[in-house]
Amino acid sequence: LNAFIHKAIDGGFTPWEPVPECTRSCGGGTQKFVRHCTNPPPQFGGKDCTGPKEEVGPCNDFKCE
């Protein structure tokens, strides 16, 4: 059996993770989210993940008391 015959595995992203926290505790802030191409990592000539690895989104969008 030839050990070098592997099916190419394309990379997949992990779920978005917030880092570190929202810029505001209320009244609408922003937060950075990151994800990694390790779910699974590309192997045996598979494609790397395509798409952004970082994104900024809204958070704590509720009124301040």
Side-chain angles (χ1 to χ4, degrees):
L1 188 68
N2 187 342
F4 293 104
I5 298 175
H6 290 290
K7 189 174 181 323
I9 298 171
D10 292 342
F13 279 120
T14 58
W16 287 104
E17 299 169 41
V19 287
E21 67 266 327
C22 193
T23 56
R24 298 183 66 179
S25 58
C26 61
T30 57
Q31 186 165 29
K32 189 160 83 172
F33 294 85
V34 297
R35 59 185 180 169
H36 306 282
C37 190
T38 56
N39 188 31
Q43 294 174 63
F44 314 122
K47 294 186 188 84
D48 201 4
C49 296
T50 55
K53 290 185 171 70
E54 287 187 4
E55 216 169 70
V56 174
C59 54
N60 293 342
D61 223 353
F62 49 88
K63 274 188 179 162
C64 298
E65 288 297 317

